[in-house]
Amino acid sequence: MSGGAAVARWPDHVSLFARRSGEFRPSPVRAVFEIAMRPGMISLAGGNPDMGVLPHDVIAGMTARILAERGPEVLQYGSGAGIGRLPGLICELMALEGAETTPDRIQVTAGSQAGLDLVTKLFCNPGDVVVAEGPTYVGALGVFGSYEVEVQHVDVDEDGFDPGAVAERIDELRAAGRTVKFVYTVPNFHNPTGVTLSEERRRRLVAVCAERGVLILEDDPYGLLGFDREHRPPSLYSLDPATVIHLGSFSKIFAPGLRIGWIAAVPVVRARLQIAAEAVTIHPSVLGQELAAEYVGSEHWRPALDRAVERYRSRCAAMMGALEEHMPEGVRWTRPAGGFFTWLDLDPAADHEDLLDRAVRHGLVLVPGGACYADGRPTTSLRLAYSAASEQEIAEGVRRLGEVLRG
Amino acid sequence: MSGGAAVARWPDHVSLFARRSGEFRPSPVRAVFEIAMRPGMISLAGGNPDMGVLPHDVIAGMTARILAERGPEVLQYGSGAGIGRLPGLICELMALEGAETTPDRIQVTAGSQAGLDLVTKLFCNPGDVVVAEGPTYVGALGVFGSYEVEVQHVDVDEDGFDPGAVAERIDELRAAGRTVKFVYTVPNFHNPTGVTLSEERRRRLVAVCAERGVLILEDDPYGLLGFDREHRPPSLYSLDPATVIHLGSFSKIFAPGLRIGWIAAVPVVRARLQIAAEAVTIHPSVLGQELAAEYVGSEHWRPALDRAVERYRSRCAAMMGALEEHMPEGVRWTRPAGGFFTWLDLDPAADHEDLLDRAVRHGLVLVPGGACYADGRPTTSLRLAYSAASEQEIAEGVRRLGEVLRG
């Protein structure tokens, strides 16, 4: 055995990759991350929350106090279920959306993306099918792909997807011998379309899934970002906490950089999720959890959230106005009641093949609609985010989009 | 469709679990976490680093400065590859163990547990085999189980495992039609045995794996915690950066609560790992990464690390002395040259079935050896950690262990 042999036959890494690696897909939002940083570029691509509303000095002081007073505990390994007081606080947040739950049903995760990963890992075998809105959250497609799960889309209209169509799809899939473990949905201010599942459809969706023994995975990062604070449709979880597994996040109501989210699920599921989570990352950042608990539990949180929602409302209005002004004939778009996104359906007769490239040449970054479908179908649609751009940038970005679409 | 139907047929969650969930295994270290907190209990179970050596006021001030000066950036979504300056700093850390690498080969992860998860996800199909030390790190067994990967153990002696035996095992497995993608090893101050793979064995291990086109996954959280700072065997990665994928961690040289680690791998592998990592948690905590970079890049890091290693050395010596004094005839243990652990081989003639229960009744928590084998074989061994207990606790804990073993 000589060192020479090592050099002669070093492994062909790609040939060693697991089968599932063929399904890994880079997020197109992450892919345009670098392009969006170029000078002069306007990005209406990423769904970033506005960090400008946060009281940064307060947060810096809070964090320093946590570390100075309890550093040895906060920097040490923590519990796999989450730090002690966080699940209780999360129950209070869920109550704001009408969901009653208890701390023993809360699994804290390293962001709600991690929750999506863990639920898929716990339930889905390769070849299982998830029924989801069409289009759906691009990051969910990355998760489902990595577990070799097939996604079947059910089209959305202004009230989300139709539970009758969901039921029909499940029944067809089963008749064809396929296994459907859960329906994945973003019911509030849907990513990417901005639409909200109506209350009547929520009740029907829960009923058709419960009848069929199919779970619902409710992904709800935007639920507290409604422009109308008085009227919230009930969370799916509140309608049936056995059939529904709920994903929550501190990313949009506080800070995505901390990567703290949660799963609410019946205890038998939560316990398994904790074991799965410990194998992936032992526990989420203790400092991140402490800061989330401290900040969201403080009197600073709500006013900053109100400021943020006010900004998103104004920016959404600015985008609606700019679309009205600059879009050519044949383009339609959604009118969100909250959240970060609007969705444009383009003239299907025109050629939209190289839409992103053309937009970039005009100084604009956006998410082509095809990225939000598992089958990468040809794009006659696109997502625009208004959450992180100024009203001026929105106006100019949409003006540029008008140029792009007019060729 | 009535609400009644939903109540009548809510899903049987367990029957919906994926096949892999049967392989999820709770870590026995995590399982005794609560017991270890009871008053009067001495824990020699968990491999916690000593947080008492850290300059907590300095760290609090650093974190406050990061948040006050760059809050909007640090709290926002970050790059999937890690924050800009961290990969370069990680290359400097790896150079301390003799490994030359470049930032484009570094994938920052949410702890090195996450690195282990991602590498397994990228390479292993269900039914693939990983060859590992026997015993091995319990947390690795949790990862391999969650991907339905079989672990084949090769026994360790004072110099780690024998590359000839590893080669033979690989060849046997292949002859039986099995697929071996990588050998998993903790070469420095092995968890759980405390032994170190000799330099000669390192060179042979790399050669036999490279010859066979099998990768090596080098898990190295303890490499900088050697009691002899002058003599370090070369990291496996330094011997062959194509055959070896290296896992590193800030947990033992700084703070596990932050969950920041890394993978060093050839670019084609690193790029895929980033896509896989983004699907799991988008990116590790930006605040955690910033703090790790700031602290480990500062003049405070090295003196605190030296203090920590000095403590671990004294505690290890205290444990060796106490074992000498209190262990009955027929018990043997390893003499670690660094790290956190020693491993005891008990008298195989005695009954050790309920060892942990008896220890707990004597006020002592430890990790039974069987937990560190994939096949959960009967325990005639155990792991003791000296990293997080005072010398007094170590002496008393080992005295209690003597009582337990004498019945």
Side-chain angles (χ1 to χ4, degrees):
Chain A
M1 266 168 266
S2 73
V7 175
R9 287 204 43 194
W10 65 274
D12 173 6
H13 298 88
V14 174
S15 72
L16 294 174
F17 286 169
R19 194 183 59 190
R20 71 175 69 82
S21 74
E23 304 298 322
F24 289 2
R25 52 157 80 199
S27 155
V29 177
R30 312 290 307 166
V32 297
F33 197 88
E34 306 298 328
I35 300 173
M37 297 295 164
R38 292 184 198 156
M41 195 65 76
I42 289 178
S43 176
L44 301 176
N48 285 7
D50 189 316
M51 296 287 97
V53 298
L54 295 178
H56 290 284
D57 286 343
V58 168
I59 292 166
M62 241 171 214
T63 313
R65 210 161 44 246
I66 290 167
L67 283 168
E69 289 171 7
R70 291 179 291 124
E73 175 197 337
V74 170
L75 296 175
Q76 187 56 274
Y77 285 112
S79 159
I83 65 165
R85 65 200 173 122
L86 196 51
L89 177 74
I90 287 168
C91 293
E92 291 174 34
L93 288 176
M94 288 184 63
L96 297 176
E97 290 189 68
E100 266 181 66
T101 190
T102 48
D104 61 315
R105 291 173 179 233
I106 303 298
Q107 177 63 40
V108 180
T109 60
S112 79
Q113 182 80 26
L116 183 51
D117 175 76
L118 291 168
V119 171
T120 308
K121 192 174 196 172
L122 176 58
F123 286 103
C124 295
N125 289 315
D128 284 356
V129 183
V130 166
V131 174
E133 285 112 346
T136 190
Y137 165 50
V138 289
L141 294 177
V143 174
F144 299 144
S146 74
Y147 292 99
E148 300 172 86
V149 171
E150 184 183 323
V151 177
Q152 285 271 336
H153 294 290
V154 171
D155 289 346
V156 304
D157 60 29
E158 318 66 270
D159 292 323
F161 57 7
D162 171 35
V166 170
E168 208 170 292
R169 189 67 59 87
I170 293 170
D171 294 343
E172 283 166 13
L173 286 161
R174 288 188 164 173
R178 306 299 297 274
T179 302
V180 182
K181 297 288 181 58
F182 59 78
V183 173
Y184 171 73
T185 176
V186 181
N188 292 315
F189 324 122
H190 181 237
N191 180 0
T193 66
V195 303
T196 292
L197 191 64
S198 69
E199 178 163 349
E200 183 267 337
R201 285 186 172 183
R202 287 175 195 234
R203 294 187 186 279
R204 277 206 294 137
L205 181 67
V206 167
V208 302
C209 288
E211 272 170 16
R212 285 163 178 77
V214 168
L215 300 172
I216 297 171
L217 182 54
E218 175 181 47
D219 190 356
D220 186 32
Y222 311 105
L224 293 177
L225 304 182
F227 302 149
D228 180 350
R229 305 300 279 271
E230 304 305 308
H231 298 94
R232 290 186 203 286
S235 76
L236 293 164
Y237 184 86
S238 73
L239 299 177
D240 183 351
T243 299
V244 180
I245 297 175
H246 179 97
L247 301 180
S249 178
F250 286 96
S251 292
K252 273 67 179 192
I253 61 171
F254 178 26
L258 300 177
R259 309 309 307 127
I260 307 292
W262 69 88
I263 307 168
V266 293
V268 65
V269 170
R270 195 212 62 79
R272 285 293 181 107
L273 289 170
Q274 180 176 339
I275 296 169
E278 289 180 351
V280 176
T281 182
I282 306 185
H283 55 71
S285 161
V286 180
L287 179 59
Q289 293 181 71
E290 290 282 353
L291 180 53
E294 189 79 16
Y295 176 73
V296 174
S298 79
E299 78 275 15
H300 301 283
W301 173 61
R302 199 55 192 248
L305 183 64
D306 287 345
R307 286 195 296 278
V309 173
E310 207 38 61
R311 284 196 186 183
Y312 301 144
R313 184 218 300 273
S314 304
R315 288 170 182 176
C316 181
M319 185 165 274
M320 295 296 115
L323 288 167
E324 213 57 76
E325 187 178 342
H326 297 294
M327 285 304 98
E329 195 87 13
V331 177
R332 292 177 311 127
W333 54 91
T334 58
R335 283 174 174 69
F340 289 5
F341 307 109
T342 182
W343 179 260
L344 277 65
D345 277 313
L346 308 178
D347 179 355
D351 175 17
H352 305 293
E353 192 59 47
D354 58 346
L355 181 67
L356 178 57
D357 289 346
R358 282 190 291 139
V360 167
R361 283 199 297 275
H362 281 80
L364 175 67
V365 189
L366 51 78
V367 174
C372 304
Y373 289 94
D375 48 15
R377 59 187 74 178
T379 301
T380 60
S381 53
L382 61 93
R383 186 189 81 173
L384 297 181
Y386 49 78
S387 57
S390 69
E391 293 178 36
Q392 201 179 351
E393 287 169 324
I394 288 168
E396 172 60 16
V398 173
R399 192 195 63 72
R400 292 179 191 180
L401 179 61
E403 282 181 3
V404 173
L405 293 179
R406 285 192 181 83
Chain B
M1 268 167 266
S2 72
V7 176
R9 286 206 40 195
W10 64 274
D12 173 6
H13 298 87
V14 174
S15 73
L16 294 174
F17 287 169
R19 194 181 59 188
R20 71 174 70 83
S21 74
E23 305 296 323
F24 288 3
R25 52 157 80 201
S27 155
V29 177
R30 312 291 306 166
V32 296
F33 196 87
E34 306 298 328
I35 300 174
M37 297 293 165
R38 292 183 198 156
M41 197 62 80
I42 290 176
S43 176
L44 302 175
N48 284 8
D50 189 317
M51 296 286 98
V53 298
L54 295 178
H56 290 284
D57 286 344
V58 168
I59 293 166
M62 240 171 215
T63 314
R65 211 162 43 247
I66 290 167
L67 283 167
E69 289 172 5
R70 289 179 292 123
E73 173 196 340
V74 170
L75 295 175
Q76 188 56 276
Y77 285 112
S79 159
I83 63 165
R85 65 202 173 122
L86 196 50
L89 177 73
I90 287 168
C91 292
E92 291 174 34
L93 289 176
M94 288 185 63
L96 296 176
E97 291 191 66
E100 266 182 65
T101 190
T102 48
D104 61 315
R105 292 174 178 231
I106 303 298
Q107 177 63 40
V108 180
T109 60
S112 79
Q113 182 80 27
L116 184 50
D117 176 75
L118 292 168
V119 171
T120 308
K121 192 173 196 171
L122 176 57
F123 286 103
C124 294
N125 290 315
D128 283 356
V129 183
V130 166
V131 174
E133 284 112 346
T136 190
Y137 165 52
V138 290
L141 294 177
V143 174
F144 299 144
S146 74
Y147 291 100
E148 300 173 87
V149 171
E150 184 182 324
V151 177
Q152 285 272 333
H153 293 291
V154 172
D155 290 346
V156 303
D157 59 30
E158 312 76 85
D159 291 324
F161 56 7
D162 172 35
V166 170
E168 210 169 291
R169 190 67 60 87
I170 293 170
D171 294 343
E172 283 165 16
L173 286 160
R174 288 189 163 174
R178 305 299 297 274
T179 301
V180 182
K181 297 288 180 58
F182 59 78
V183 173
Y184 171 72
T185 177
V186 182
N188 292 315
F189 324 122
H190 180 238
N191 181 358
T193 66
V195 303
T196 292
L197 192 64
S198 68
E199 179 164 348
E200 182 268 337
R201 285 186 172 181
R202 288 176 193 232
R203 293 187 187 279
R204 277 205 294 138
L205 181 68
V206 168
V208 303
C209 288
E211 272 170 14
R212 285 162 178 78
V214 168
L215 299 172
I216 297 171
L217 182 54
E218 175 181 47
D219 190 358
D220 186 32
Y222 311 106
L224 293 177
L225 304 181
F227 303 149
D228 179 351
R229 306 299 280 269
E230 302 305 309
H231 298 94
R232 290 186 202 285
S235 75
L236 292 164
Y237 183 87
S238 73
L239 298 178
D240 183 351
T243 300
V244 180
I245 296 175
H246 180 98
L247 301 180
S249 177
F250 286 96
S251 293
K252 274 66 179 193
I253 61 170
F254 178 26
L258 301 176
R259 310 309 307 129
I260 307 292
W262 68 90
I263 307 168
V266 293
V268 65
V269 170
R270 195 213 64 78
R272 285 291 180 108
L273 289 169
Q274 179 175 338
I275 295 169
E278 289 179 353
V280 176
T281 182
I282 306 186
H283 55 71
S285 160
V286 181
L287 179 58
Q289 293 181 72
E290 290 282 353
L291 179 53
E294 189 78 15
Y295 176 73
V296 174
S298 80
E299 78 277 14
H300 300 283
W301 173 62
R302 200 54 193 251
L305 183 65
D306 288 344
R307 286 196 296 277
V309 173
E310 207 39 61
R311 285 196 186 183
Y312 301 144
R313 184 217 302 271
S314 304
R315 287 169 182 177
C316 182
M319 184 164 275
M320 295 296 115
L323 288 168
E324 212 58 75
E325 187 179 342
H326 296 295
M327 285 304 98
E329 195 88 10
V331 177
R332 292 177 310 126
W333 54 91
T334 57
R335 283 171 175 72
F340 288 5
F341 307 109
T342 182
W343 180 259
L344 277 65
D345 277 312
L346 308 178
D347 180 355
D351 175 18
H352 306 293
E353 193 58 48
D354 59 345
L355 182 67
L356 179 58
D357 289 345
R358 284 190 290 140
V360 167
R361 284 200 296 276
H362 281 81
L364 175 67
V365 190
L366 50 77
V367 174
C372 305
Y373 290 93
D375 48 16
R377 58 187 74 178
T379 299
T380 60
S381 55
L382 61 91
R383 187 189 80 174
L384 297 180
Y386 49 77
S387 57
S390 69
E391 293 179 34
Q392 203 181 348
E393 288 169 323
I394 288 169
E396 173 58 16
V398 172
R399 192 194 65 71
R400 292 179 190 178
L401 179 61
E403 282 181 4
V404 173
L405 294 179
R406 284 192 182 81

